[in-house]
Amino acid sequence: MRRELSPLHAALALSALLGAAGLYLTVDSYNTRMALLAAENQLEFLRSIPQIAGNSAEPVKLPAYKSNMILEQDENLKGWLYSSYYKSIFSVRQAAVSVKKTGFRPVVLETLLDARERR
């Protein structure tokens, strides 16, 4: 004996799927917001003292140079600091902060730290 699927059960199944997708998007947006705050705090500190950003090929694990409560307490966020010079000359110093979060893409913020020309 075969039972027909009632519209109420179909609506319940559809709402459960949409609820799960909505929960995932809510968690992802929260993690993105926290990653942006953590990256912004690290870059603000580096902008105030640009001399501490070195020219290393290896990325520095965050929190770097200054404690960051978001990165220290949230186990879902892991970050790295990349810094480089322009054309291997000590003239333009730039830094990028990449924070990996649970989700598909990491959050990456870049900034110029020091653009003064040195001779």
Side-chain angles (χ1 to χ4, degrees), residues 15-31:
S15 69
L17 289 174
L18 291 176
L23 178 65
Y24 173 76
L25 289 175
T26 302
V27 169
D28 187 54
S29 69
Y30 174 77
N31 282 337

Side-chain angles (χ1 to χ4, degrees), residues 3-52:
R3 293 180 69 186
E4 202 172 296
L5 183 65
S6 72
L8 192 57
H9 287 119
L12 181 64
L14 182 63
S15 69
L17 289 174
L18 291 176
L23 178 65
Y24 173 76
L25 289 175
T26 302
V27 169
D28 187 54
S29 69
Y30 174 77
N31 282 337
T32 302
R33 182 176 171 86
M34 289 297 110
L36 279 171
L37 279 174
E40 183 183 19
N41 288 342
Q42 292 292 296
L43 285 180
E44 281 297 320
F45 181 73
L46 284 176
R47 254 189 248 145
S48 65
I49 310 172
Q51 292 81 9
I52 63 176

Side-chain angles (χ1 to χ4, degrees), residues 41-87:
N41 288 342
Q42 292 292 296
L43 285 180
E44 281 297 320
F45 181 73
L46 284 176
R47 254 189 248 145
S48 65
I49 310 172
Q51 292 81 9
I52 63 176
N55 186 15
S56 65
E58 295 296 317
V60 177
K61 188 175 182 206
L62 293 179
Y65 312 117
K66 176 189 176 198
S67 68
N68 191 316
M69 297 303 286
I70 297 170
L71 288 169
E72 290 170 354
Q73 293 177 352
D74 196 341
E75 296 173 358
N76 295 323
L77 299 177
K78 305 211 179 339
W80 294 270
L81 168 70
Y82 304 90
S83 59
S84 63
Y85 295 112
Y86 180 70
K87 294 184 179 179

